[in-house]
Short mmCIF file of all heavy atoms in Angstrom, two decimals:
data_model
loop_
_atom_site.label_atom_id
_atom_site.label_comp_id
_atom_site.label_asym_id
_atom_site.label_seq_id
_atom_site.Cartn_x
_atom_site.Cartn_y
_atom_site.Cartn_z
N LEU A 129 -10.36 7.74 -14.48
CA LEU A 129 -10.40 8.26 -15.85
C LEU A 129 -9.44 7.47 -16.75
O LEU A 129 -9.78 7.11 -17.87
CB LEU A 129 -10.03 9.75 -15.84
CG LEU A 129 -10.12 10.49 -17.18
CD1 LEU A 129 -11.55 10.45 -17.70
CD2 LEU A 129 -9.65 11.93 -17.02
N GLY A 130 -8.26 7.19 -16.22
CA GLY A 130 -7.27 6.43 -16.99
C GLY A 130 -7.76 5.03 -17.29
O GLY A 130 -7.54 4.51 -18.39
N LEU A 131 -8.43 4.40 -16.33
CA LEU A 131 -8.94 3.04 -16.54
C LEU A 131 -9.99 3.04 -17.65
O LEU A 131 -10.04 2.12 -18.47
CB LEU A 131 -9.53 2.49 -15.24
CG LEU A 131 -8.51 2.18 -14.13
CD1 LEU A 131 -9.22 1.79 -12.84
CD2 LEU A 131 -7.55 1.08 -14.55
N VAL A 132 -10.82 4.08 -17.68
CA VAL A 132 -11.83 4.16 -18.74
C VAL A 132 -11.15 4.46 -20.09
O VAL A 132 -11.41 3.80 -21.09
CB VAL A 132 -12.88 5.26 -18.42
CG1 VAL A 132 -13.78 5.50 -19.61
CG2 VAL A 132 -13.69 4.86 -17.20
N MET A 133 -10.25 5.46 -20.07
CA MET A 133 -9.61 5.85 -21.33
C MET A 133 -8.78 4.74 -21.94
O MET A 133 -8.69 4.60 -23.14
CB MET A 133 -8.74 7.09 -21.11
CG MET A 133 -9.56 8.36 -20.97
SD MET A 133 -8.48 9.79 -20.72
CE MET A 133 -7.69 9.91 -22.31
N GLY A 134 -8.16 3.94 -21.08
CA GLY A 134 -7.34 2.85 -21.58
C GLY A 134 -8.15 1.79 -22.29
O GLY A 134 -7.63 1.05 -23.13
N GLN A 135 -9.43 1.71 -21.96
CA GLN A 135 -10.26 0.64 -22.54
C GLN A 135 -11.17 1.14 -23.65
O GLN A 135 -11.47 0.40 -24.58
CB GLN A 135 -11.12 0.02 -21.46
CG GLN A 135 -10.33 -0.75 -20.45
CD GLN A 135 -11.24 -1.54 -19.54
OE1 GLN A 135 -11.32 -2.74 -19.62
NE2 GLN A 135 -11.93 -0.83 -18.68
N ALA A 136 -11.63 2.37 -23.53
CA ALA A 136 -12.57 2.89 -24.52
C ALA A 136 -11.81 3.75 -25.52
O ALA A 136 -11.41 4.87 -25.22
CB ALA A 136 -13.67 3.70 -23.83
N ARG A 137 -11.59 3.16 -26.67
CA ARG A 137 -10.79 3.84 -27.68
C ARG A 137 -11.38 5.19 -28.07
O ARG A 137 -10.66 6.17 -28.23
CB ARG A 137 -10.68 2.94 -28.92
CG ARG A 137 -9.70 3.45 -29.96
CD ARG A 137 -9.52 2.41 -31.03
NE ARG A 137 -8.77 1.28 -30.52
CZ ARG A 137 -7.47 1.10 -30.78
NH1 ARG A 137 -6.83 1.96 -31.53
NH2 ARG A 137 -6.83 0.08 -30.30
N ALA A 138 -12.71 5.23 -28.17
CA ALA A 138 -13.36 6.48 -28.60
C ALA A 138 -13.08 7.61 -27.62
O ALA A 138 -12.78 8.73 -28.00
CB ALA A 138 -14.86 6.26 -28.75
N VAL A 139 -13.18 7.28 -26.32
CA VAL A 139 -12.93 8.29 -25.29
C VAL A 139 -11.48 8.76 -25.37
O VAL A 139 -11.19 9.96 -25.29
CB VAL A 139 -13.23 7.71 -23.88
CG1 VAL A 139 -12.98 8.77 -22.82
CG2 VAL A 139 -14.65 7.20 -23.81
N GLU A 140 -10.59 7.81 -25.56
CA GLU A 140 -9.18 8.17 -25.60
C GLU A 140 -8.87 9.05 -26.81
O GLU A 140 -8.17 10.04 -26.72
CB GLU A 140 -8.30 6.92 -25.62
CG GLU A 140 -6.91 7.23 -25.08
CD GLU A 140 -5.83 6.41 -25.73
OE1 GLU A 140 -6.14 5.44 -26.44
OE2 GLU A 140 -4.65 6.77 -25.55
N THR A 141 -9.42 8.64 -27.97
CA THR A 141 -9.20 9.42 -29.19
C THR A 141 -9.69 10.84 -29.02
O THR A 141 -9.04 11.80 -29.44
CB THR A 141 -9.93 8.76 -30.38
OG1 THR A 141 -9.66 7.36 -30.35
CG2 THR A 141 -9.47 9.34 -31.71
N ALA A 142 -10.85 10.98 -28.39
CA ALA A 142 -11.44 12.30 -28.24
C ALA A 142 -10.65 13.17 -27.25
O ALA A 142 -10.52 14.37 -27.43
CB ALA A 142 -12.89 12.17 -27.79
N LEU A 143 -10.14 12.53 -26.20
CA LEU A 143 -9.49 13.33 -25.16
C LEU A 143 -7.99 13.50 -25.35
O LEU A 143 -7.38 14.39 -24.76
CB LEU A 143 -9.75 12.69 -23.79
CG LEU A 143 -11.16 12.83 -23.24
CD1 LEU A 143 -11.27 12.17 -21.87
CD2 LEU A 143 -11.56 14.30 -23.11
N ASP A 144 -7.39 12.64 -26.18
CA ASP A 144 -5.94 12.64 -26.27
C ASP A 144 -5.33 13.99 -26.70
O ASP A 144 -4.40 14.46 -26.05
CB ASP A 144 -5.46 11.52 -27.19
CG ASP A 144 -3.95 11.35 -27.11
OD1 ASP A 144 -3.47 11.08 -26.00
OD2 ASP A 144 -3.27 11.51 -28.14
N PRO A 145 -5.84 14.64 -27.77
CA PRO A 145 -5.19 15.90 -28.18
C PRO A 145 -5.18 16.96 -27.09
O PRO A 145 -4.15 17.59 -26.84
CB PRO A 145 -6.06 16.35 -29.36
CG PRO A 145 -6.71 15.12 -29.86
CD PRO A 145 -6.93 14.27 -28.66
N ILE A 146 -6.30 17.11 -26.40
CA ILE A 146 -6.35 18.16 -25.38
C ILE A 146 -5.47 17.79 -24.18
O ILE A 146 -4.81 18.64 -23.57
CB ILE A 146 -7.82 18.46 -24.94
CG1 ILE A 146 -7.86 19.79 -24.19
CG2 ILE A 146 -8.40 17.34 -24.13
CD1 ILE A 146 -9.24 20.35 -24.02
N LEU A 147 -5.39 16.48 -23.89
CA LEU A 147 -4.51 16.06 -22.80
C LEU A 147 -3.06 16.32 -23.14
O LEU A 147 -2.28 16.75 -22.31
CB LEU A 147 -4.71 14.57 -22.52
CG LEU A 147 -5.93 14.22 -21.68
CD1 LEU A 147 -6.02 12.71 -21.50
CD2 LEU A 147 -5.84 14.89 -20.32
#
Side-chain angles (χ1 to χ4, degrees):
Chain A
L129 185 61
L131 291 173
V132 171
M133 284 180 69
Q135 292 189 107
R137 188 172 289 258
V139 180
E140 204 213 348
T141 313
L143 287 181
D144 190 59
I146 195 165
L147 280 179

